[in-house]
Amino acid sequence: MAVFSRRLILAAAAALTLAACDSGNSPPRAGFEGVDITGADYARELNLPDAEGRQRSLQDFRGKVTVVFFGYTQCPDVCPTTMVELAEVKRQLGADGERIQGVFVSVDPERDTPEMLKAYVANFDPGFVALRGTPEQTKAAAKQFKVFYNKVAGQTPTSYTIDHTAGSYVFDAQGRVRLFTRYGAGIDKLRHDLKILLDEKAA
């Protein structure tokens, strides 16, 4: 029995050592209300043109806590609600809110023209950025973020809707993906999580 217990202790110690080694380059775990995905091997790259035609990447937003959401301008509820909540959290955080960057990625490049996207995000916050790629680029970006989207036919060829993942990805000021926030969680939880990231010291 003593030998068996000693083996368990050694195995546990080894596991803890390995865990410590694996997390050496990762930020410390935080008490998020959303889903903590710190260290995830996805949602690491995003390279798409913005509404002005400039190629953008996640590196462009380093220094800010960045919230990335995939949606479309004709979305009836999830998309505008998500954008309104993010804009309101940014406002509530005052000066700290200036370090929050909203990024809206269109999953409907067929209808979402650059002009429409620019006006759409500006309705929520003038600092928010909209990205729009080709259908192929959009598909690749969604795959990188594990985002689902699917066109649902309407009464006419242009009146379709799009089912899509209803959640946002949050990156810390170092550009590392940290959090997935589910739609419907509410402003208070989002503000709590973004405040944690804003208060973190560079690691």
Side-chain angles (χ1 to χ4, degrees):
M1 181 66 70
V3 174
F4 180 66
S5 299
R6 184 168 180 272
R7 286 177 178 173
L8 283 177
I9 292 171
L10 289 174
L16 287 172
T17 301
L18 286 174
C21 291
D22 289 343
S23 61
N25 294 323
S26 298
R29 295 283 173 171
F32 292 129
E33 295 287 347
V35 182
D36 189 340
I37 57 171
T38 299
D41 61 356
Y42 55 94
R44 291 186 173 185
E45 296 181 7
L46 183 62
N47 296 284
L48 293 170
D50 63 17
E52 302 290 347
R54 295 172 298 185
Q55 195 71 20
R56 307 300 292 268
S57 74
L58 290 172
Q59 297 303 310
D60 294 336
F61 310 115
R62 289 195 65 171
K64 293 186 176 184
V65 172
T66 301
V67 182
V68 177
F69 177 77
F70 286 71
Y72 66 112
T73 63
Q74 296 188 47
C75 176
D77 42 36
V78 173
C79 304
T81 300
T82 298
M83 300 301 285
V84 164
E85 289 183 349
L86 180 57
E88 176 59 17
V89 167
K90 181 178 177 181
R91 186 193 66 79
Q92 290 182 9
L93 289 173
D96 282 344
E98 294 304 310
R99 295 190 288 125
I100 292 175
Q101 178 65 59
V103 177
F104 183 88
V105 182
S106 174
V107 294
D108 188 16
E110 295 177 54
R111 293 184 301 188
D112 287 347
T113 65
E115 293 75 19
M116 289 175 60
L117 283 166
K118 185 176 180 180
Y120 183 78
V121 296
N123 282 332
F124 303 104
D125 187 278
F128 287 175
V129 172
L131 303 182
R132 172 186 179 272
T134 64
E136 293 75 21
Q137 289 173 324
T138 303
K139 183 177 180 179
K143 182 178 180 180
Q144 167 64 213
F145 276 72
K146 295 186 181 295
V147 164
F148 164 85
Y149 67 99
N150 182 60
K151 184 185 293 187
V152 179
Q155 294 183 348
T156 67
T158 59
S159 66
Y160 59 85
T161 58
I162 297 179
D163 290 338
H164 62 93
T165 299
S168 303
Y169 286 90
V170 184
F171 296 77
D172 63 23
Q174 307 304 307
R176 300 171 296 200
V177 65
R178 300 291 303 279
L179 180 66
F180 180 79
T181 62
R182 294 189 178 96
Y183 171 71
I187 288 178
D188 291 343
K189 290 183 178 180
L190 179 61
R191 183 179 63 246
H192 170 272
D193 288 350
L194 296 187
K195 189 69 167 62
I196 289 175
L197 294 176
L198 288 168
D199 291 343
E200 280 187 351
K201 295 182 179 179

